[in-house]
Amino acid sequence: MDVKLQEKLDALPTEPGVYLMKDRRGQIIYVGKAINLRSRVRSYFTRTGDTRVFVSLLDELLGDLETVLVHNEKEALLLENELIKKHRPRFNVLLKDDKQFISLRLDRTHAYPRLEVVRKYERDGARYFGPYSSAGAIRETLRIINRYFRLRTCTDHVLANRKRPCLLFQIGRCPAPCVHPVPEDDYHRSVDEVVMFLEGKASELVEGLRLRMKRSAQELKFEEAARVRDQLLAIERSLERQKIATTDFKDQDVFALFREGDRIMFYVLWVRQGRLNGGQAFPFGNQEFPNEELLASFVNLYYDQGSFVPEEVLLPLDPEDGTDGLEGLLSERKGERVRVLVPKRGEKHELVQMAVKNAEQAFVERRRTKDETDQVLSRLQQRLNLKNFPRRMECFDISHFQSSAIVASQVAVTDGDADKSRYRKYKIKTVEKQDDFASMYEVVTRRLKRGLEDGDLPDLLVIDGGKGQLASAHAAMKDLGVDSVDVVGLAKSRDLEVFDRDAESARSPERVFVVGRKDPIVLAQNSAEMFMLTRMRDEAHRFAITFQKQVMRKSRVRSALEDIPGVGEVRRKTLLRHFGSLKRVGEASIEELADVVGPAVAERVHAGLHGHPDEEEEDPVREASLDDAVEPANEKSQGGSPPGAA
């Protein structure tokens, strides 16, 4: 060990704090916290019989060590969390932003509350229900609530500005408080029933509904009685599927982990009001530190992302520094007492064991899926004769509409899965007219320049198009001196000329173009390799089309309002924010406009949007035909490539 490093180890304080391990290049490779910094850090060099790879290589990897002293363990947890998110060390567990779960929010302070789908909990006085592990689960819950409990689904803005009931009122799924004088007591009775349903309080809810059904029948309100009967049946079927997990009816998060070598799987089981509500697995690789350290760090990061903090948190093992610091931090985040327990027997221990089994099962499934994905990527490397194993791939697509609104998309795939944190949108800056080749050159150049600066380059670039687009991308790589990245072009199948009138039309297969090879490579059209490439290409196309529509929509709105004298960026945003859309601005009267921008400007806006009948007739046609016209306009292999290019 380096003498200076040994001196730092000898001089470590015994106070609480955070330590940062750096490699020989000064890159932070691990961030940890400890109540006693001296004891914790020195333990990595004094443990006997420790066969973990990281510990055996620590002498070679470790180049420097920094420490930051704090007052207590809670401050150490907070600082550790911030440093992990800032530096993203290679040996820490790292939670991505897209791991936040969907939940339901109910603000009962509103006169007519509604359920909102949210991804983050806030201490705003509202009730939160969930989390839900999938969009399908939350859709099923909302389907039952919207059909049988009849709460409004519109936003507050729509509620305040609607002048006539919507379709949901017509089919009996909303009382339309936006336009009808619905008694607040009746509406809040439905809200109370929704809360009981989401909390799983079956007996109270069912008993109340049965009494209301009987009362309605006695009063000869048979339609109302039938509606409550249907509601009752739907609720009973739904609540039957929810299993009782504990008898104390608390909100609990149950954590577990399963590990093989440096690969680890965390699992969180959600229990709400004593009922199992779902769970989620979190896989990590390249993890060499002890389970006790990783578990505490994972729990801290999990709740820092805005996840709901329950009454109890159950862990499978004691964190290395105990549970007091974590308990205090979670209690502060929740605003009330939170217990962090490591149960050894009873119902809570059985819950932990259930979570451990789920963690093991998720680990086995992911290992099998990863092995299959590696085989597909290996075959892809062999078939296309790639230099690199294509673990990280990026696909580019150019999109335009009648030579305007030229944009590009970049989608990424890591280990066979979409990596949405690496998705990018591009507005073409150097090309004014439709030129797919020049546009592709610009986009690839911008991507590679950024990658060279950040040291972040993919293994394979997939270009949507044929020889022309591939040549443009390759030219950008040559001009920047990038030769460590593979690049291929993926051309769509196309109609072939058929001279026999009686024969059915034929299509060419999907083809892969490779630099330096005249003829394309035709992979088996039903192979996993081809499916992976086409799925990535289709995702890039979808992403580009979506962005293009956004750009065109903003362009139309901006031109329609900013051409009016006296309407600048601020007033345009004010009008759109108040009325919700350009269409509603056009439908507003001068008096309604005057309430927002004043009488003088209101008259100019009204005249500007209504004073040109010809334009009014054309706008709906453009709006209606846009979606139909976008797809053909983006068939670059047909319209933008030179003869023989694709």
Side-chain angles (χ1 to χ4, degrees):
M1 183 183 297
D2 183 76
V3 177
K4 292 183 178 180
L5 185 58
Q6 183 63 56
E7 292 176 353
K8 283 192 174 184
L9 290 175
D10 295 337
L12 285 172
T14 58
E15 300 173 56
V18 173
Y19 56 94
L20 297 88
M21 292 183 175
K22 298 182 179 181
D23 61 15
R24 304 289 184 181
R25 298 177 300 171
Q27 187 75 26
I28 296 175
I29 58 176
Y30 185 75
V31 174
K33 61 91 184 172
I35 295 179
N36 186 323
L37 284 171
R38 181 183 178 85
S39 175
R40 169 65 57 78
V41 177
R42 289 174 64 87
S43 68
Y44 294 120
F45 302 91
T46 58
R47 290 178 179 174
T48 58
D50 199 332
T51 59
R52 287 176 292 118
V53 176
F54 177 80
V55 173
S56 63
L57 296 177
L58 198 56
D59 288 341
E60 299 178 10
L61 284 173
L62 193 60
D64 196 8
L65 183 71
E66 289 186 12
T67 59
V68 181
L69 299 179
V70 294
H71 293 95
N72 50 51
E73 186 185 1
K74 185 174 72 173
E75 291 183 3
L77 280 166
L78 290 171
L79 181 57
E80 177 198 35
N81 187 20
E82 291 301 318
L83 292 175
I84 289 175
K85 290 191 295 184
K86 178 180 179 180
H87 298 291
R88 304 187 67 81
R90 57 185 287 200
F91 290 109
N92 281 98
V93 290
L94 302 173
L95 275 176
K96 298 180 180 178
D97 293 338
D98 60 357
K99 289 297 182 183
Q100 297 178 12
F101 306 104
I102 46 180
S103 303
L104 292 174
R105 177 182 181 273
L106 183 69
D107 184 4
R108 303 193 64 171
T109 61
H110 197 284
Y112 300 103
R114 73 181 184 106
L115 281 173
E116 299 176 83
V117 178
V118 297
R119 286 191 176 271
K120 195 167 185 178
Y121 288 84
E122 297 180 2
R123 295 174 60 179
D124 55 1
R127 288 291 307 274
Y128 289 86
F129 304 93
Y132 294 85
S133 57
S134 67
I138 205 168
R139 274 199 301 267
E140 174 64 17
T141 302
L142 286 174
R143 185 189 66 80
I144 295 173
I145 291 173
N146 293 338
R147 182 169 184 176
Y148 297 106
F149 292 94
R150 304 178 73 230
L151 296 190
R152 70 178 175 95
T153 59
C154 58
T155 64
D156 293 345
H157 175 77
V158 174
L159 178 72
N161 292 279
R162 187 176 290 279
K163 297 180 180 179
R164 60 181 181 180
C166 65
L167 181 62
L168 291 177
F169 172 77
Q170 304 295 335
I171 62 177
R173 295 193 180 182
C174 179
C178 51
V179 294
H180 293 308
V182 178
E184 290 189 19
D185 292 341
D186 292 348
Y187 191 90
H188 279 269
R189 181 183 62 186
S190 297
V191 173
D192 293 337
E193 293 172 351
V194 167
V195 171
M196 286 190 286
F197 173 73
L198 293 173
E199 290 179 345
K201 296 180 178 179
S203 57
E204 299 177 38
L205 179 57
V206 169
E207 182 181 354
L209 289 175
R210 282 177 178 165
L211 289 175
R212 198 198 316 171
M213 180 179 66
K214 292 179 180 179
R215 185 167 57 250
S216 298
Q218 291 172 356
E219 296 175 356
L220 305 182
K221 299 178 180 178
F222 298 117
E223 291 185 1
E224 174 68 16
R227 191 184 66 80
V228 177
R229 177 203 61 198
D230 295 341
Q231 180 182 6
L232 186 60
L233 292 174
I235 291 169
E236 287 178 333
R237 285 195 299 267
S238 176
L239 293 177
E240 281 175 0
R241 295 195 293 266
Q242 300 181 21
K243 298 179 180 179
I244 294 291
T246 60
T247 56
D248 52 4
F249 302 103
K250 290 183 177 179
D251 291 340
Q252 299 167 313
D253 281 349
V254 188
F255 289 82
L257 62 89
F258 183 82
R259 183 172 193 166
E260 284 187 2
D262 66 338
R263 296 165 64 185
I264 191 169
M265 179 72 70
F266 289 101
Y267 195 90
V268 186
L269 194 68
W270 303 312
V271 179
R272 297 296 179 260
Q273 295 295 314
R275 296 177 182 270
L276 287 177
N277 197 42
Q280 181 70 25
F282 299 83
F284 298 98
N286 200 26
Q287 303 298 323
E288 298 291 349
F289 281 78
N291 292 344
E292 294 82 0
E293 284 188 46
L294 296 178
L295 177 63
S297 179
F298 172 78
V299 173
N300 187 16
L301 288 168
Y302 175 81
Y303 288 113
D304 182 67
Q305 288 198 323
S307 299
F308 171 74
V309 181
E311 301 170 69
E312 288 185 350
V313 173
L314 307 184
L315 304 180
L317 47 86
D318 285 297
E320 196 152 3
D321 291 326
T323 61
D324 293 343
L326 194 58
E327 192 170 274
L329 182 61
L330 295 181
S331 298
E332 183 177 303
R333 286 177 177 162
K334 185 174 179 63
E336 57 185 79
R337 172 78 186 280
V338 175
R339 300 180 66 196
V340 179
L341 306 173
V342 185
K344 304 299 182 183
R345 63 182 66 87
E347 288 181 340
K348 296 176 181 178
H349 178 68
E350 292 176 1
L351 279 178
V352 172
Q353 293 305 306
M354 184 188 302
V356 170
K357 289 181 179 179
N358 279 280
E360 182 178 2
Q361 179 64 24
F363 185 94
V364 172
E365 291 179 357
R366 181 172 178 82
R367 180 175 57 193
R368 182 175 64 249
T369 302
K370 185 179 185 303
D371 292 342
E372 293 173 353
T373 301
D374 286 346
Q375 292 176 10
V376 173
L377 295 176
S378 179
R379 292 197 299 269
L380 188 64
Q381 181 183 15
Q382 294 174 4
R383 289 288 288 115
L384 301 183
N385 194 28
L386 304 176
K387 299 188 297 288
N388 306 314
F389 185 76
R391 186 171 302 281
R392 285 182 48 199
M393 299 183 285
E394 293 178 359
C395 184
F396 295 86
D397 181 37
I398 306 296
S399 180
H400 54 80
F401 177 65
Q402 297 178 353
S403 300
S404 64
I406 306 176
V407 299
S409 66
Q410 167 195 322
V411 300
V413 170
T414 302
D415 290 325
D417 294 327
D419 189 352
K420 293 193 175 182
S421 64
R422 308 178 70 84
Y423 279 27
R424 297 292 184 271
K425 303 172 183 176
Y426 296 89
K427 288 184 179 180
I428 303 303
K429 300 177 179 179
T430 61
V431 182
E432 297 181 358
K433 297 182 179 180
Q434 177 183 344
D435 188 335
D436 290 339
F437 306 140
S439 299
M440 185 63 71
Y441 178 89
E442 177 190 329
V443 171
V444 174
T445 299
R446 289 164 61 183
R447 166 64 184 100
L448 294 178
K449 278 185 176 179
R450 187 179 71 246
L452 290 172
E453 293 173 358
D454 301 339
D456 177 29
L457 292 173
D459 300 311
L460 173 64
L461 297 182
V462 179
I463 306 302
D464 182 17
K467 285 185 177 179
Q469 286 85 353
L470 176 61
S472 298
H474 187 238
M477 296 173 63
K478 289 178 62 178
D479 291 347
L480 293 174
V482 176
D483 57 3
S484 60
V485 178
D486 291 303
V487 58
V488 299
L490 181 59
K492 301 180 181 70
S493 61
R494 58 183 178 181
D495 291 327
L496 298 176
E497 293 184 4
V498 179
F499 298 100
D500 186 354
R501 294 183 178 179
D502 297 329
E504 296 182 0
S505 61
R507 291 186 65 83
S508 68
E510 303 267 2
R511 296 147 296 149
V512 182
F513 287 89
V514 180
V515 175
R517 177 168 174 159
K518 180 180 178 181
D519 297 324
I521 298 173
V522 179
L523 301 175
Q525 298 299 288
N526 59 350
S527 65
E529 305 91 84
M530 193 72 241
F531 176 74
M532 183 176 292
L533 289 177
T534 55
R535 185 181 62 176
M536 183 166 50
R537 189 266 316 280
D538 293 342
E539 173 68 356
H541 187 66
R542 179 203 65 80
F543 198 49
I545 290 292
T546 302
F547 182 43
Q548 181 204 44
K549 289 181 179 179
Q550 293 174 354
V551 171
M552 294 188 67
R553 190 176 300 115
K554 290 181 179 178
S555 176
R556 289 198 305 273
V557 172
R558 185 178 297 111
S559 62
L561 287 176
E562 290 189 352
D563 288 343
I564 302 173
V567 179
E569 184 72 14
V570 174
R571 281 176 172 160
R572 181 179 65 83
K573 289 183 177 180
T574 302
L575 285 167
L576 292 174
R577 189 181 301 113
H578 180 82
F579 291 101
S581 68
L582 179 61
K583 180 181 178 182
R584 286 181 170 245
V585 175
E587 293 174 349
S589 65
I590 295 179
E591 291 75 14
E592 291 172 329
L593 294 170
D595 292 338
V596 181
V597 294
V601 178
E603 291 182 1
R604 288 198 293 269
V605 171
H606 192 271
L609 295 179
H610 295 270
H612 305 285
D614 293 339
E615 291 182 7
E616 290 181 13
E617 293 176 3
E618 291 176 3
D619 283 347
V621 177
R622 288 186 61 196
E623 184 74 27
S625 63
L626 175 60
D627 293 344
D628 298 332
V630 166
E631 287 292 335
N634 284 276
E635 295 292 336
K636 294 171 286 299
S637 59
Q638 298 178 13
S641 303

